């Protein structure tokens, strides 16, 4: 068996194979996180609503997506939507929509916990000074909920970044795909996968360290 050789790691290697996949992975994570948190917050408010229909719709959405493997959702969306609409939407767009909709189910539960963590007295105080229930939620409750749950939200985003590697199932050019192609084309598949693991570890470990520092700062504020 040949010894491991990483001599192929050059500037050309990074430019030709890695940067495109890295950019897609980071872009997919960032956009899906922002849109997912927004949709998840709406779902959380629906779940907490006194309107039984809104509550039921939100619960069904969250429970269904949290019970299905992400890779299956990726495949279903990529393969079924063109059949239903008669028009392909592309690998990257399909991945973006899928991750947004899927992760919103997890963000919804995080935000619901964050909203419930805000003392009821905060809502009462907002109403007492003349705010409407919507204003109280928007200006008092949600900011505190976001602050309380920010470390958990960030942790879920790290998990989502790791999960972006599942877009290999539809052939999207993400970070893992870049290393896979590099390993195949350069005759070093094992080294390619090892390098991919190292890069994912460095990124996720750095983000995890940032989350720990954020938790400490929030604890001090409290």
């Amino acid at each position: 068996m040949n010894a491991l050789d990483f001599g192929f790691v050059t500037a050309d290697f990074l430019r030709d194979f890695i940067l495109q996949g890295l950019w897609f992975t980071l872009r997919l994570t960032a956009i899906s996180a922002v849109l997912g948190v927004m949709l998840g917050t709406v779902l959380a408010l629906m779940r907490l609503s006194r309107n039984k229909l809104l509550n039921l719709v939100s619960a069904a959405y969250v429970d269904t997506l949290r019970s299905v493997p992400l890779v299956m959702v990726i495949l279903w969306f990529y393969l079924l939507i063109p059949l239903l609409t008669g028009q392909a939407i592309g690998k990257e767009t399909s991945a973006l929509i899928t991750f947004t909709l899927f992760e919103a189910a997890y963000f919804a539960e995080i935000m619901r916990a964050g909203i419930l963590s805000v003392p009821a007295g905060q809502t009462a105080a907002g109403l007492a000074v003349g705010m409407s229930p919507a204003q109280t939620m928007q200006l008092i409750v949600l900011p505190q909920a976001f602050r309380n749950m920010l470390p958990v939200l960030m942790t879920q985003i790290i998990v989502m970044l790791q999960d972006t590697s599942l877009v290999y199932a539809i052939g999207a050019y993400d970070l893992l795909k870049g290393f896979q192609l590099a390993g195949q084309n350069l005759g070093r598949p094992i080294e390619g996968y090892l390098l991919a693991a190292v890069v994912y570890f460095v990124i996720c470990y750095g983000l995890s360290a940032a989350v720990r520092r954020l938790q400490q700062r929030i604890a001090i504020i409290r």
Side-chain angles (χ1 to χ4, degrees):
M1 181 177 179
N2 295 331
L4 296 177
D5 181 8
F6 295 96
F8 60 88
V9 180
T10 63
D12 291 338
F13 161 81
L14 295 175
R15 184 188 66 246
D16 296 340
F17 295 103
I18 307 305
L19 291 183
Q20 178 184 345
L22 176 61
W23 172 239
F24 173 68
T25 292
L26 295 178
R27 189 171 74 251
L28 174 61
T29 302
I31 297 176
S32 298
V34 172
L35 296 179
V37 169
M38 293 172 61
L39 178 56
T41 301
V42 173
L43 290 169
L45 293 174
M46 291 171 61
R47 192 76 180 267
L48 295 171
S49 172
R50 295 180 180 178
N51 186 304
K52 292 184 178 180
L53 178 59
L54 293 179
N55 191 296
L56 180 62
V57 170
S58 176
Y61 181 96
V62 171
D63 293 342
T64 298
L65 285 184
R66 283 167 59 93
S67 302
V68 180
L70 174 56
V71 68
M72 292 181 63
V73 179
I74 293 173
L75 286 170
W76 287 346
F77 197 92
Y78 180 69
L79 297 174
L80 292 180
I81 294 301
L83 292 177
L84 297 175
T85 63
Q87 183 177 4
I89 60 175
K91 299 173 183 178
E92 294 190 3
T93 302
S94 177
L96 175 60
I97 296 175
T98 301
F99 269 84
T100 297
L101 297 178
F102 186 86
E103 294 298 331
Y106 289 86
F107 289 132
E109 289 299 277
I110 294 173
M111 286 307 303
R112 184 163 72 101
I115 293 171
L116 292 175
S117 71
V118 178
Q122 297 289 318
T123 300
L127 296 175
V129 298
M131 288 185 177
S132 67
Q135 290 175 323
T136 302
M137 177 61 67
Q138 179 182 356
L139 300 177
I140 297 179
V141 177
L142 282 181
Q144 295 185 67
F146 274 111
R147 186 195 66 186
N148 293 344
M149 304 311 293
L150 189 56
V152 184
L153 289 170
M154 291 297 298
T155 299
Q156 182 61 34
I157 291 173
I158 295 173
V159 174
M160 183 171 66
L161 187 148
Q162 297 170 343
D163 287 343
T164 58
S165 61
L166 293 176
V167 298
Y168 81 89
I170 58 175
Y173 200 116
D174 70 319
L175 181 60
L176 180 60
K177 184 72 171 181
F179 279 106
Q180 180 188 19
L181 290 177
Q184 291 176 350
N185 292 330
L186 300 175
R188 290 291 177 178
I190 297 177
E191 287 88 337
Y193 283 117
L194 287 175
L195 284 173
V198 170
V199 171
Y200 275 106
F201 173 79
V202 170
I203 294 174
C204 294
Y205 184 84
L207 291 175
S208 297
V211 171
R212 288 194 294 271
R213 289 195 294 271
L214 181 62
Q215 287 177 317
Q216 293 172 355
R217 294 188 62 178
I218 290 177
I220 292 175
I221 293 175
R222 289 176 178 172

